[in-house]
Amino acid sequence: ELKAIADSRNALVGLVFQRDSLPMWSLEFWDPMSAAEIQAQLVDHEKREQLLLSEYWDDNRSGVVTYLVLSALLGVALIASRDRVHKKLAGDDLAPIRAIFDRPISLAMLISFFVALFTIPEIGRVLAPVLGAASLIPAVLILRQIVDRPLFPLLNLVVGVYFIHQLREIISPLLGLYRLTFTAETLILLLVCGWWLRPSRLRDIPREMARSWLFRCVGYALRSVFFLSAVGLAANLVGYGALANLIGSTLIWSTYAAVVLYGASRVPPLVLLGMVSRHRWLIRKRTAFAVHALAWYLWATATLRRAELLDNAEESVTAFFSRSLPIPEVEITFGDILAAALTFYAAMLLSRFIRFLLAEDIYPHLRLAKGRPYAISTLLHYILMSIGFVLATIAIGFDMNRFTLLAGAFGVGIGFGLQTIVNNFLSGIILLTERPVEVGDTIALGEIFGEVKSIGIRSSTVRTWQGAEVIVPNADLIAQQVTNWTKSDRRRRIEIPVGVAYGSDPRLVLETLLEVGKGGDHILAEPEPYVLFQGFGDSSLDFELRAWTDEFDSFLQIRSQLCTQIAAALEAANLVIPFPQRDLHIHTGKELAQASTQDEVPLAPAVAPTDDTNDRDRSAGARSG
């Protein structure tokens, strides 16, 4: 039965290229109809519409009432939230969005229209004129808030032509009046499009506006409307009424759908979410692409359906994707490949979105250890991509027996030449689950010292303090000894050795260094700084200041500041930092002769270490000389 209906429909569509009425210049066409006939036709049309509405109301009363109540509540909510939206969406880049919310009732009507299309059965077929006006007018009012003023006449034209078209549908039983109305409609479209596309007007358009994608789309659309209107007008004049009606209806509904869908695509419900405020441009770009793609698909579908070409287009597309690839002993169609690619791509997009949502709105509200969010996101990515690969394999129609054979061959390949790759992959899984090293940790591995930037499926990236990024196999981080400076926390002990001259008061040195340590910037009070008297060096009394900081990334700068403060404090306390010095003790000939009689003749002058600040040693050396 369905095939018979489809064949009958295609046969009727094929009749559009046959003349079915008189030319408009023939005298018979202008034979007037009586007032009684016109009134009878209109009364009959009104009765049919009332009967249809009454039957629909009886069958869907609760759904329509619910729809009207929810639409009213949505309008009230948008009116109440208008001021708050204006405060939240501050900034010049969000001015168009604020302008949209200046029309809360239009916005509510437009949103409720699309909700009704998917929730109330057959509402589009029964209440098409009412819903059309209830969606077109709000869409035009919203677009007037955001498009350039030169486009306003085109929006007004769409509204006017739409109501002329509805009037033409009402008087469709009156063939002569119907064709005259259609002629007036197409003439208006031709005149407006020609006036808009005239060269003198195009030269007056600002260059910035002329280069925008919206203006270029409008230009292409107006040229198409001009051409189709001319064809429809010619067909109507000659007597091809069915062809003229098909072209006119398709043209009007296509333009109407384009305006409504574009107006709906400008409604930004996601812009009010918290995560969008931190990645506004990225979200708006991705959302705009998805919404525009959906709008283009709906527009093309509506246009083809109105032109009675949707079934043929679907059959052509189905036939193409059902075609098998020319591969021997393998039955794979283009549709299978497309399904597999879309499945895997959907899994990848889902993984990206979930990780983005976790990072922006989930992890900040949870108290997780450092590195655990990255591990969770990475493992979740591996799981989703594995599921996507399996589903893509199923979608492409791959034989599971062959898949098992392939898995066995893959296992043999691992045994022969892929041990290192598998070892690194499993090591990466261990790093993400056991977490001995996490993203953000500062590690030392041999001569490599730097921060872990990422842990991948095969290797990890370590950025050294010199700026180089070193690719380290995951197996090395598991098998070798790794020093993790920031495993538990990011605190670092700063050690500064200090030497003062012999003769200095050790207690004064301890107090001076401790005072500097306690007063240093970014120095922790717990554990508190302390100073050690390390011992007696060759040229100085050796001390060491030890202090803790939680600014691991800046500990070198903090150490430098402490050294500067120590030098200033020692100078203020008259404490001298010595430098290494050697004094030579030269023996006389008499002393050498005495030493030779004792068989203790030195082969070189004796050297005794002393300090430049020790005046007694220097005076003793001078006297011995």
Side-chain angles (χ1 to χ4, degrees):
E1 295 180 357
L2 294 178
K3 186 177 184 304
I5 294 175
D7 294 338
S8 300
R9 184 178 181 181
N10 293 331
L12 291 176
V13 172
L15 298 177
V16 298
F17 296 102
Q18 297 180 7
R19 178 180 292 181
D20 53 11
S21 57
L22 297 172
M24 292 188 66
W25 56 78
S26 64
L27 296 177
E28 292 81 359
F29 174 79
W30 297 98
D31 289 341
M33 295 182 64
S34 64
E37 292 178 348
I38 295 176
Q39 184 177 3
Q41 293 283 356
L42 294 178
V43 170
D44 184 62
H45 177 77
E46 182 181 359
K47 289 181 179 180
R48 289 198 306 269
E49 292 294 330
Q50 289 180 355
L51 179 62
L52 186 63
L53 290 176
S54 177
E55 293 177 352
Y56 185 81
W57 172 257
D58 294 337
D59 296 336
N60 302 278
R61 180 180 303 176
S62 59
V64 174
V65 172
T66 303
Y67 163 72
L68 294 176
V69 172
L70 293 178
S71 299
L73 293 177
L74 178 61
V76 173
L78 290 175
I79 293 174
S81 62
R82 177 168 49 186
D83 295 336
R84 187 175 62 182
V85 168
H86 275 258
K87 293 180 181 179
K88 190 171 183 179
L89 302 181
D92 295 337
D93 56 333
L94 295 178
I97 300 175
R98 293 196 303 270
I100 291 175
F101 283 93
D102 286 336
R103 298 282 187 177
I105 298 178
S106 299
L107 186 58
M109 293 178 65
L110 190 59
I111 295 175
S112 61
F113 164 73
F114 281 97
V115 174
L117 290 180
F118 298 101
T119 56
I120 303 180
E122 298 186 357
I123 191 172
R125 182 181 63 85
V126 179
L127 300 177
V130 178
L131 286 180
S135 57
L136 178 61
I137 295 177
V140 170
L141 292 176
I142 289 175
L143 290 177
R144 285 174 66 93
Q145 298 292 110
I146 57 180
V147 301
D148 297 319
R149 184 170 293 273
L151 296 177
F152 285 5
L154 296 180
L155 298 177
N156 299 333
L157 171 67
V158 173
V159 177
V161 171
Y162 175 78
F163 283 105
I164 295 176
H165 178 75
Q166 294 304 319
L167 176 62
R168 185 162 58 88
E169 293 292 331
I170 294 175
I171 63 175
S172 58
L174 308 175
L175 184 59
L177 190 57
Y178 176 86
R179 292 181 62 184
L180 288 175
T181 307
F182 181 81
T183 303
E185 184 180 337
T186 52
L187 282 175
I188 291 174
L189 290 175
L190 283 173
L191 292 176
V192 173
C193 293
W195 171 78
W196 177 271
L197 295 173
R198 71 184 191 277
S200 59
R201 177 174 178 79
L202 295 178
R203 286 194 297 267
D204 295 336
I205 300 297
R207 180 174 299 180
E208 293 78 9
M209 179 181 174
R211 291 180 177 177
S212 65
W213 71 271
L214 176 60
F215 185 82
R216 293 198 299 268
C217 290
V218 169
Y220 296 142
L222 288 177
R223 291 178 176 86
S224 301
V225 170
F226 184 86
F227 173 75
L228 292 176
S229 299
V231 174
L233 178 61
N236 185 43
L237 292 175
V238 173
Y240 289 86
L243 178 61
N245 182 49
L246 181 63
I247 294 176
S249 300
T250 303
L251 181 62
I252 296 303
W253 280 97
S254 176
T255 305
Y256 153 72
V259 172
V260 173
L261 290 172
Y262 181 71
S265 67
R266 302 295 294 179
V267 178
L270 294 179
V271 78
L272 300 179
L273 295 180
M275 68 177 180
V276 181
S277 60
R278 293 185 293 271
H279 299 275
R280 180 182 302 166
W281 288 109
L282 177 61
I283 294 295
R284 290 178 64 184
K285 180 180 178 181
R286 300 287 174 84
T287 305
F289 174 78
V291 172
H292 290 164
L294 178 62
W296 277 105
Y297 170 76
L298 294 177
W299 172 81
T301 303
T303 302
L304 291 175
R305 179 180 288 111
R306 195 68 183 184
E308 302 295 341
L309 297 175
L310 181 61
D311 294 338
N312 295 332
E314 290 179 349
E315 291 177 1
S316 300
V317 173
T318 303
F320 172 77
F321 285 110
S322 299
R323 187 178 303 172
S324 300
L325 293 177
I327 302 177
E329 299 182 359
V330 176
E331 295 183 359
I332 299 178
T333 64
F334 289 102
D336 295 335
I337 296 177
L338 179 62
L342 291 179
T343 301
F344 191 77
Y345 184 66
M348 184 174 62
L349 290 181
L350 180 63
S351 173
R352 289 181 180 178
F353 176 75
I354 292 178
R355 287 182 293 157
F356 175 77
L357 182 62
L358 290 174
E360 296 299 327
D361 279 344
I362 304 300
Y363 293 149
H365 301 289
L366 300 177
R367 296 181 178 179
L368 298 177
K370 178 181 63 68
R372 183 166 295 178
Y374 180 87
I376 294 174
S377 297
T378 304
L379 290 175
L380 185 61
H381 173 67
Y382 291 161
I383 293 174
L384 290 176
M385 294 307 295
S386 300
I387 295 175
F389 176 75
V390 174
L391 293 178
T393 304
I394 296 175
I396 206 172
F398 197 80
D399 189 359
M400 289 295 102
N401 294 327
R402 295 184 180 182
F403 184 80
T404 305
L405 181 62
L406 181 62
F410 186 71
V412 175
I414 291 176
F416 280 101
L418 301 178
Q419 302 97 326
T420 303
I421 295 177
V422 175
N423 185 19
N424 288 325
F425 174 75
L426 296 179
S427 298
I429 300 297
I430 294 174
L431 290 175
L432 293 174
T433 54
E434 185 181 339
R435 296 182 298 112
V437 174
E438 299 171 339
V439 173
D441 285 349
T442 300
I443 65 171
L445 176 64
E447 297 181 355
I448 302 173
F449 185 77
E451 180 182 358
V452 179
K453 304 301 289 187
S454 66
I455 300 177
I457 191 173
R458 187 196 64 85
S459 61
S460 301
T461 302
V462 179
R463 184 176 179 85
T464 65
W465 303 127
Q466 292 79 13
E469 292 187 348
V470 182
I471 309 301
V472 181
N474 291 332
D476 292 349
L477 297 175
I478 295 297
Q480 298 185 19
Q481 181 177 345
V482 180
T483 302
N484 193 335
W485 287 87
T486 56
K487 172 62 177 175
S488 301
D489 52 52
R490 301 192 67 82
R491 291 193 290 183
R492 170 72 183 260
R493 191 177 77 176
I494 300 176
E495 303 169 355
I496 303 178
V498 178
V500 298
Y502 276 95
S504 302
D505 185 359
R507 291 183 295 273
L508 178 60
V509 178
L510 291 173
E511 294 175 358
T512 302
L513 294 179
L514 186 60
E515 181 179 357
V516 172
K518 291 183 176 181
D521 296 334
H522 306 291
I523 298 299
L524 297 178
E526 181 64 31
E528 63 179 359
Y530 61 94
V531 184
L532 298 177
F533 190 169
Q534 297 284 74
F536 302 91
D538 291 342
S539 304
S540 62
L541 303 176
D542 296 334
F543 298 83
E544 185 173 87
L545 170 63
R546 296 179 178 179
W548 287 86
T549 179
D550 56 358
E551 300 287 341
F552 181 86
D553 297 333
S554 305
F555 83 92
L556 290 177
Q557 292 87 337
I558 298 172
R559 188 178 189 279
S560 175
Q561 294 176 1
L562 284 178
C563 291
T564 303
Q565 295 172 2
I566 288 173
L570 292 179
E571 183 179 359
N574 294 322
L575 296 173
V576 180
I577 300 177
F579 54 88
Q581 179 175 324
R582 297 289 185 270
D583 283 352
L584 298 179
H585 294 261
I586 302 175
H587 297 277
T588 62
K590 182 178 179 181
E591 292 172 340
L592 290 174
Q594 183 179 358
S596 63
T597 58
Q598 299 176 0
D599 296 330
E600 295 180 356
V601 180
L603 300 178
V607 179
T610 185
D611 195 279
D612 61 332
T613 60
N614 196 332
D615 296 336
R616 291 176 298 179
D617 289 348
R618 285 200 299 270
S619 61
R623 287 194 300 273
S624 65

